[in-house]
């Protein structure tokens, strides 16, 4: 048996040498050894992928349009424009619907994939029927962000084939014989050839240069299915073109056979990599032969964890035939089907901000969500779809699970209240919003959740008294409601440079602002404001003995500004050069000065042991979490059996020390 210290190294060596003798040995030593083998291979495969993809890249690894970045779609523009122009200007008899439909079909494929991404992330966050109980990280999102390259590649091939192949133009809508031919050719030659091509790609020579890129994703997402080097996609397209070229050359082609076949490939690819089991058991009970003709997500998931089994494309028949079917396929399938929905220990509530923030959340565009939120110009072009989403959310109004995380044996979930930020400032929306939040709290109570953090939902005293409204309505709550203000105050205080003697307050005052001002005055730091209304409000909240530390400023000379909602462009322009703006609000000010410094909203960097972080929390950098969210986690970790809501605040020093002890760290302070 390999010892623990050298297991990863020796497994990598065994993998590169072909792995035959080692695999036989491991299989002879039972299920326990088999499980350890799986773990070792997961680590080894990831290391092989990282090292060999960098040191031994094969020819045609990169896509030809990679240097174009986000402008890669321009390679399709001439073809698509020509197709639409021809359809509009030609006579009715000369118009070719098939040529015109190529571009809409490509858009449909992108939408199809995106729907699978959203569905998969939602289901794996809930936990029911999840297959692999691990998360993904930013590295995987970055690696898989070019999933649409294969759609661009196919689009170019379709347009070229239309002009070069006789019989590719003027396709009829339907031909039954062509559909039958397509099905038979896929079942036979395509599946058979793919099986052996796939096995060849697992040879150490090809694996290290090409296929390891795909297997870097141990936990798969739907788009993992198309993450391959360019050369691999050429091989796959040649395989899948067998039915397509056959129906063209035999004169049996039709729009339905083309669209249906490619959509079938996309559907099965996405399903096989979605990481949750959705194929019902009754289907195989009624039609037993289907187990040889249709794989399940759990069947293919084993290929990503075992690597030497389940090579088939979509039909497991060839794995049964050649003895490469994983013996635990049926067990994993049944286990995944019966897996219940996960009951979290901590729930974090949040809501949507701007209309296009729907694309930034984890269920939206993966690559967009993996970066701090900025309104993108191309998202504005999608306003018809965005408007539809807004109407759907307003009508449905059901809280949904956004993501899950694990940290120090705690199971964490983020739930989204389907309301936009602007709705929190409309008085007629107060009751509907509070009803949704209260329903979420009661739902969490029934699931056995220990702590619920209000996050962005804590909008102010006039809405829900900083969450205290729900405690009054439900005095017997066992779940602890945390608004997180104490840690937010602590973060703001520790963001102020040492040696500061005075700060300027500006913006809409909140619970965090008042307690920050109080703490500063207690430390002997002068708190100034140039608005009489803000001065009066802060003075009324502060202890009379500390009132001497509060001043009404007549100038803008202060270099440290503590700001909230309502900071205007004009006020920023009056600040001296080098001013440090530190927000105490949950939403950051718009940056208007390049000669000044802007801190983030109250937040902390999460520990490296915090699992399944693959999206940014709104405008915060990667792996940063808002103080309001961290506070709920700390209450659960420390077992503090108290609510933190209303006008009361938790011990600021105590929660700050707890955050550092558990591995959370302050963000870098601009200097």
């Amino acid at each position: 048996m390999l010892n623990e210290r050298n297991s990863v190294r020796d497994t990598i060596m065994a993998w590169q040498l072909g792995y035959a003798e080692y695999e036989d040995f491991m299989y002879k030593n039972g299920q326990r050894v088999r499980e350890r083998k799986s773990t070792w291979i997961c680590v080894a495969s990831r290391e092989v992928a990282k090292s060999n993809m960098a040191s031994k890249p094969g020819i045609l690894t990169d896509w030809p349009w990679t240097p174009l970045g986000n402008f890669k779609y321009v390679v399709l523009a001439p073809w698509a424009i020509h197709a639409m122009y021809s359809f509009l200007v030609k006579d009715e008899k000369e118009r070719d619907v098939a040529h015109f439909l190529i571009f809409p079909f490509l858009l449909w494929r992108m939408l199809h994939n995106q729907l699978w991404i959203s569905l998969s992330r939602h289901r794996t966050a809930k936990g029911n029927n999840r297959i692999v109980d691990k998360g993904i990280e930013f590295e995987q999102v970055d690696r898989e962000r070019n999933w649409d390259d294969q759609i661009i590649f196919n689009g170019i091939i379709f347009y070229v084939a239309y002009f070069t192949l006789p019989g590719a133009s003027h396709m009829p809508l339907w031909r039954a014989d062509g559909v039958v031919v397509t099905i038979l050719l896929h079942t036979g030659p395509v599946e058979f050839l793919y099986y052996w091509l796939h096995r060849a790609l697992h040879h150490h020579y090809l694996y290290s240069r090409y296929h390891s890129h795909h297997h870097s994703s141990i936990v798969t997402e739907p788009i993992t299915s198309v993450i391959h080097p360019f050369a691999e996609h050429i091989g796959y397209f040649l395989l899948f073109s067998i039915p397509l070229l056959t129906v063209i050359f035999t004169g049996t082609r039709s729009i339905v056979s083309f669209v249906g076949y490619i959509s079938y490939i996309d559907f099965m690819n996405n399903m096989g990599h979605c990481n949750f089991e959705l194929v019902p058991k009754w289907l195989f009970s009624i039609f037993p032969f289907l187990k040889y003709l249709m794989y399940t997500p759990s069947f293919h998931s084993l290929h990503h964890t075992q690597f030497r089994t389940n090579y088939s494309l979509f039909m497991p028949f060839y794995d049964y035939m050649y003895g490469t079917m994983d013996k635990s396929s049926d067990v994993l399938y049944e286990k995944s089907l019966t897996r219940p929905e996960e009951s979290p220990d901590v729930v974090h509530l949040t809501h949507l901000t701007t209309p296009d923030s729907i694309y930034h959340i984890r269920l939206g565009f993966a690559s967009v969500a993996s970066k701090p939120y900025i309104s993108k110009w191309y998202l504005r072009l999608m306003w018809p779809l965005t408007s539809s989403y807004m109407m759907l959310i307003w009508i449905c109004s059901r809280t949904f699970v956004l993501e899950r995380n694990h940290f120090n044996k705690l199971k964490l979930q983020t739930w989204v209240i389907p309301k936009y930020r602007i709705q929190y400032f409309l008085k007629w929306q107060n009751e509907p919003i509070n009803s949704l939040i209260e329903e979420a709290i009661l739902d969490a109570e029934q699931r056995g959740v220990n702590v619920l953090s209000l996050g962005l939902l804590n909008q102010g005293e006039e809405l829900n008294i900083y969450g205290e409204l729900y405690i009054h309505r439900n005095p017997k709550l066992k779940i602890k409601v945390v608004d997180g203000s104490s840690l937010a105050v602590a973060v703001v205080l520790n963001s102020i440079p040492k040696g500061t003697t005075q700060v300027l307050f500006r913006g809409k005052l909140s619970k965090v602002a008042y307690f920050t001002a109080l703490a500063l005055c207690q430390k002997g730091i002068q708190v100034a404001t140039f608005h009489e209304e803000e001065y009066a409000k802060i003075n009324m909240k502060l202890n009379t003995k500390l009132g001497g530390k509060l001043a009404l400023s007549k100038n803008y000379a202060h270099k440290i500004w503590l700001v909230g909602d309502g900071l205007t462009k004009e006020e920023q322009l009056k600040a001296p050069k080098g001013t440090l703006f530190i927000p105490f609000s949950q939403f950051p000010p718009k940056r208007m000065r390049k000669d000044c410094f802007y801190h983030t909203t109250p937040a902390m960097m999460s520990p490296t042991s915090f699992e399944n972080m693959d999206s940014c929390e709104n405008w915060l950098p990667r792996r940063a979490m808002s103080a309001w969210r961290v506070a709920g986690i700390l209450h659960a970790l420390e077992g503090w059996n108290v609510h933190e809501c209303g006008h009361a605040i938790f011990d600021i020093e105590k929660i700050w020390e707890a955050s550092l002890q558990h591995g959370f760290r302050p963000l870098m302070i601009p200097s």
Side-chain angles (χ1 to χ4, degrees), residues 499-539:
T500 299
T501 58
Q502 56 182 355
V503 298
L504 180 70
F505 263 75
R506 175 65 193 103
K508 182 180 179 182
L509 300 175
S510 62
K511 177 181 176 180
V512 173
Y514 290 128
F515 278 98
T516 300
L518 177 61
L520 289 172
C521 289
Q522 290 174 337
K523 291 183 176 183
I525 299 176
Q526 186 185 64
V527 175
T529 178
F530 47 74
H531 281 245
E532 293 186 3
E533 182 181 358
E534 292 175 4
Y535 174 84
K537 287 182 178 180
I538 297 175
N539 191 43

Side-chain angles (χ1 to χ4, degrees), residues 589-601:
K590 188 174 182 180
R591 303 187 177 194
M592 308 302 302
R593 298 279 298 273
K594 293 184 178 180
D595 58 350
C596 294
F597 302 100
Y598 293 82
H599 207 284
T600 66
T601 55

